[in-house]
Amino acid sequence: MTNAEPPAPRTVVPIEPSLLIAEAFDQAQVTELRHSVTSCAHASGLSGQRLDDFVLAVNELITNAVRHGGGQGWLRLWRDSGELVCEVADHGQGISAQRLSDRNRPAPDTAGGWGLWLARELSDTMAVESGEAGTRVRITAALAARPHVTRHDG
């Protein structure tokens, strides 16, 4: 390549163009993080019961990370193809395969064990990867198509 040749054009493709939150947390940040998730989810189009359900599901995941995943975690929230996606990861000892495969509602008098069940029930999809190095839970909520507003001047 000589100085007379123009440089080849570069294409920059953002890895996550719609990333809304990427934040480490511990117990001290749980409430603030929940408020941030609420604001971002609402701005993305969730409202009413769908918003409340999604935020409660996220809250269960971040609370689980603090309680069972080593006291801290990492949350990412983004929009992707008409849905809102939240991923919570921790570095705990993992969740047993038996616990992960149990999809039954916990008994009403059970003090714990509601977090994953609630997150699964309150989100559209849930995927869990868990092992000795920690757990990663991803939930989604479909975003309603925003109505197209046509303006007629005249």
Side-chain angles (χ1 to χ4, degrees):
M1 185 168 133
T2 67
N3 288 338
E5 296 176 30
R10 291 184 179 200
T11 303
V12 178
V13 179
I15 295 170
E16 293 180 39
S18 56
L19 184 65
L20 303 170
I21 300 173
E23 196 168 318
F25 64 88
D26 61 18
Q27 179 63 45
Q29 287 87 34
V30 167
T31 300
E32 181 183 335
L33 190 54
R34 184 177 61 243
H35 290 303
S36 296
V37 168
T38 302
S39 295
C40 289
H42 185 263
S44 295
L46 287 183
S47 62
Q49 192 63 50
R50 298 268 304 147
L51 174 63
D52 294 344
D53 288 350
F54 186 76
V55 171
L56 179 55
V58 171
N59 188 67
E60 290 298 322
L61 297 178
I62 60 179
T63 301
N64 276 357
V66 169
R67 286 187 184 157
H68 309 292
Q72 57 192 12
W74 180 262
L75 179 138
R76 293 187 320 137
L77 180 73
W78 68 94
R79 285 187 304 267
D80 183 31
S81 302
E83 63 185 6
L84 194 59
V85 183
C86 183
E87 183 175 89
V88 176
D90 65 49
H91 296 290
Q93 297 177 355
I95 305 169
S96 72
Q98 178 184 359
R99 182 98 166 133
L100 286 176
S101 65
D102 184 4
R103 307 254 174 175
N104 295 320
R105 180 181 177 157
D109 58 348
T110 303
W114 288 87
L116 286 177
W117 183 84
L118 273 172
R120 186 178 288 114
E121 290 294 309
L122 296 174
S123 58
D124 292 336
T125 66
M126 184 171 98
V128 182
E129 296 175 15
S130 190
E132 292 177 9
T135 300
R136 180 179 314 273
V137 182
R138 183 177 288 187
I139 61 172
T140 65
L143 298 171
R146 295 188 183 235
H148 179 70
V149 177
T150 305
R151 291 187 59 189
H152 296 283
D153 294 330

